[in-house]
Amino acid sequence: MSVEFRRPARGRALAATCLAGLTLLAGCDKQKAASAPPPPAVGTVTIKTQPVTRETELPGRTAAVMTAPIIPQVTGVILKRLFVEGSDVKAGQQLYQIDPAPYQATYDSAVATLKHDEAQLATDQAQARRYKPLAQAQAVSQQSYDNALATVKEDEANVASAKASIESAQINLNYTKVFSPISGTIGASTVTPGALVTANQSTALATVTQLDPIYVDLNESSETWLRLKQEMQSGTLQTNADGTAKVTLTLEDGSTYAPAGKMQFAEVNVDQTTGTVLVRAIFPNPDHLLLPGMYVHAVIDEGVDKNGILVPEQAVSHDTHGDPTVLVVGKDDLVAQKVIKTGATLGNDWVVTGGLQPGDRVIVDGLLNATPGQKVTPTDETAKFASGNAAS
């Protein structure tokens, strides 16, 4: 005879409830384990100081060292043009001949007037000499002698005036020959033989421009200029022995201008509208490849920063304010964001002028997986990026 034991219904319900609770706890443990992945892996470079050539790229325009508009000094008709347009001329070379006839006549008249006045002076001097003993003997009145002396002085003044007139007439006669005041390249002539020109007219007959050497005018921010001056004074930035900086040019078509130039001077005032300082460089231009008014890009070799810092370009991003930032791995491998200051690029690196210190670990790989405050697993890739820079 078999006996069947049956669990009470209440006991079976309790057992089912316990089993369901155990199953739920096991599921929670699995979900918790799935929500805690390992820290993401990132690649870093360790910041170190090294000698870095500092460069600044600025847009600019070329400008002539000297420009001389040819303006006539006397009025007259152009008889000859004595140069070829677009050619090189020398200082003192005659460019135009203005009709000298009226000025020659004025000169001749002044010479004749001088001779007349000199003859009158000689006559009156002789009379004064004769009157002197007669006045002493009271053969003539003292008034007559005084008048003779006054006449001599008047004649002397007339002679001096005549000489001045001759000098003025000679100057005007010389001005009928129009010379180049400087050496350079002369442009197109605005007049032809037979044209009437006037003294000191507003339109130049032609313009002579010195093209070799040539200036390049650049506008550098006053903040950058101040920083450079301070770094040069402190010895952080080493410059050439003469204190000048080397400058290279890139032309409008993207080609590099072969001759290097050097800094000439910087303006002493800051432009209040743009906050920039005019910086002028000078370049040799023997082939006249550079013409005034050309748009160029100049790279100024500011010097060598003995303790320079480089960071790969891919590590740098910008925040909402437009400031450059990097992610660094700090204590306990936690990510932090740093705002930095950058200068020019050097190969594939940014030149960092502030915000980073030697020993900082900057993230270069895995940036999308790293956020500030997050723990990461860093791998040092300094050697990889150093070899890449050396190759470049």
Side-chain angles (χ1 to χ4, degrees):
M1 180 176 179
S2 63
V3 179
E4 183 179 356
F5 295 94
R6 293 182 178 272
R7 180 176 297 179
R10 182 178 179 182
R12 289 197 300 272
L14 181 62
T17 300
C18 292
L19 180 61
L22 292 175
T23 303
L24 180 61
L25 288 174
C28 290
D29 290 340
K30 289 181 179 180
Q31 183 178 0
K32 183 177 180 180
S35 63
V42 295
T44 64
V45 295
T46 302
I47 296 301
K48 63 178 182 180
T49 60
Q50 56 186 304
V52 174
T53 300
R54 293 269 287 276
E55 295 179 340
T56 296
E57 183 175 350
L58 298 171
R61 286 197 180 274
T62 54
V65 172
M66 285 193 292
T67 300
I70 308 302
I71 306 293
Q73 301 299 300
V74 292
T75 299
V77 175
I78 298 292
L79 296 182
K80 297 178 181 178
R81 189 189 76 194
L82 303 172
F83 66 91
V84 177
E85 295 172 316
S87 64
D88 291 337
V89 296
K90 299 294 184 181
Q93 178 180 333
Q94 186 177 357
L95 304 176
Y96 295 94
Q97 177 63 62
I98 297 174
D99 186 4
Y103 300 99
Q104 183 67 53
T106 301
Y107 174 80
D108 294 341
S109 176
V111 171
T113 299
L114 174 63
K115 290 180 179 179
H116 175 272
D117 292 340
E118 287 176 338
Q120 187 64 47
L121 173 62
T123 299
D124 292 338
Q125 284 176 335
Q127 185 175 5
R129 286 194 299 269
R130 288 194 301 270
Y131 274 21
K132 182 176 182 180
L134 293 175
Q136 292 173 347
Q138 296 184 353
V140 296
S141 65
Q142 184 65 35
Q143 181 64 48
S144 297
Y145 178 60
D146 291 341
N147 289 341
L149 291 178
T151 301
V152 169
K153 290 186 178 298
E154 184 178 354
D155 291 340
E156 290 174 344
N158 290 336
V159 169
S161 177
K163 288 181 178 178
S165 296
I166 290 176
E167 185 177 354
S168 177
Q170 183 65 65
I171 290 173
N172 288 333
L173 184 59
N174 292 339
Y175 279 153
T176 62
K177 294 181 178 180
V178 181
F179 299 97
S180 175
I182 64 173
S183 297
T185 303
I186 192 166
S189 175
T190 61
V191 295
T192 59
L196 175 64
V197 296
T198 57
N200 302 316
Q201 64 184 38
S202 58
T203 303
L205 305 182
T207 301
V208 180
T209 305
Q210 182 179 333
L211 297 177
D212 185 24
I214 194 168
Y215 287 140
V216 174
D217 290 338
L218 312 165
N219 289 303
E220 188 168 45
S221 70
S222 57
E223 180 184 0
T224 301
W225 179 251
L226 179 62
R227 173 178 56 80
L228 291 175
K229 294 290 287 185
Q230 291 174 339
E231 290 177 349
M232 286 188 288
Q233 291 173 357
S234 66
T236 303
L237 202 61
Q238 295 179 337
T239 58
N240 298 333
D242 59 358
T244 61
K246 177 183 175 183
V247 186
T248 56
L249 283 186
T250 301
L251 304 181
E252 293 174 301
D253 61 356
S255 62
T256 300
Y257 183 67
K262 63 179 181 179
M263 295 299 300
Q264 185 77 357
F265 81 99
E267 184 57 83
V268 296
N269 296 313
V270 177
D271 189 323
Q272 296 182 5
T273 59
T274 62
T276 59
V277 177
L278 174 65
V279 179
R280 173 166 281 179
I282 189 168
F283 284 80
N285 190 29
D287 298 328
H288 298 177
L289 182 62
L290 299 178
L291 300 177
M294 292 179 65
Y295 181 77
V296 295
H297 275 85
V299 177
I300 304 175
D301 184 351
E302 297 170 347
V304 178
D305 187 349
K306 296 178 293 184
N307 298 310
I309 291 177
L310 299 176
V311 66
E313 285 183 325
Q314 67 191 67
V316 180
S317 58
H318 292 81
D319 60 17
T320 55
H321 301 289
D323 297 322
T325 62
V326 293
L327 294 178
V328 298
V329 178
K331 186 178 180 181
D332 299 328
D333 292 339
L334 295 178
V335 176
Q337 186 182 65
K338 281 192 174 184
V339 177
I340 64 174
K341 293 182 179 180
T342 58
T345 57
L346 184 62
N348 295 321
D349 296 325
W350 280 106
V351 177
V352 178
T353 58
L356 287 178
Q357 300 295 328
D360 285 345
R361 294 181 294 172
V362 177
I363 298 177
V364 292
D365 283 335
L367 288 165
L368 296 179
N369 300 325
T371 56
Q374 182 182 19
K375 186 179 182 64
V376 294
T377 303
T379 301
D380 191 356
E381 298 183 359
T382 304
K384 168 186 172 183
F385 281 88
S387 61
N389 290 332
S392 62

